[in-house]
Amino acid sequence: MDIQKKQAVWLKEKPLFEAEFIHSHLLPFFNFNENTGDYEIKSECVNNSDDEDRKVAYEALNTGWVMWLRAKKVAVPDGFVLVPKLSANFLFNIVPELEFKHQDQKDTVLYHLNYMTSEFKESAKKFVEEDHVKQKTMIEAQEKVV
């Protein structure tokens, strides 16, 4: 990835990271280097604190930043596509429409889906039902586009 692309990612992600960073009290002591993509200790802070504390703060901030960037990357291997995660409820309703070669395949799928949905508490069941409506609406909208 060339430097301009990296800088564009940093520009977008930096404020999001800083808003969520659990040790945000450290941020005033650092500057972000736009060329290297990491945080550096401000020069006025170098002589004001213990060397070990600076190292720990530096490592905590930059490790968090790198982990944030890696977590934001979405790698999709060749031959795969990302699709929305369907709720168990939606799958349970679509199984009868699937053409299984053997009845035991269909029964196995229905058994596992039924087990999954029976394990939900009432609040989770409500979430699944609402999610099912959203999933169904989204799929119907996509089918209209195609």
Side-chain angles (χ1 to χ4, degrees), residues 78-115:
D78 289 338
F80 292 86
V81 295
L82 292 178
V83 295
K85 185 174 161 182
L86 298 175
S87 67
N89 198 21
F90 177 79
L91 291 172
F92 187 81
N93 290 327
I94 196 103
V95 166
E97 298 172 22
L98 301 176
E99 296 179 14
F100 289 98
K101 291 181 181 178
H102 303 287
Q103 181 64 35
D104 62 328
Q105 291 174 324
K106 180 179 176 182
D107 292 342
T108 300
V109 171
L110 288 171
Y111 169 80
H112 287 291
L113 290 172
N114 193 27
Y115 175 78

Side-chain angles (χ1 to χ4, degrees), residues 47-63:
N47 296 327
N48 296 341
S49 64
D50 181 42
D51 192 44
E52 189 63 30
D53 289 343
R54 283 196 308 270
K55 287 179 185 176
V56 170
Y58 174 85
E59 292 299 328
L61 181 55
N62 281 298
T63 300

Side-chain angles (χ1 to χ4, degrees), residues 84-97 113 117 128-129 131-137 139-140 143:
K85 185 174 161 182
L86 298 175
S87 67
N89 198 21
F90 177 79
L91 291 172
F92 187 81
N93 290 327
I94 196 103
V95 166
E97 298 172 22
L113 290 172
T117 56
V128 169
E129 289 169 0
D131 185 54
H132 168 66
V133 172
K134 290 178 191 172
Q135 297 282 348
K136 190 173 181 181
T137 303
I139 290 168
E140 289 171 353
E143 289 173 348

Side-chain angles (χ1 to χ4, degrees), residues 29-66:
F29 303 102
F30 290 85
N31 287 321
F32 186 78
N33 185 323
E34 299 288 339
N35 296 316
T36 60
D38 64 351
Y39 289 86
E40 298 174 343
I41 298 172
K42 289 180 179 179
S43 58
E44 62 266 21
C45 298
V46 171
N47 296 327
N48 296 341
S49 64
D50 181 42
D51 192 44
E52 189 63 30
D53 289 343
R54 283 196 308 270
K55 287 179 185 176
V56 170
Y58 174 85
E59 292 299 328
L61 181 55
N62 281 298
T63 300
W65 172 238
V66 170

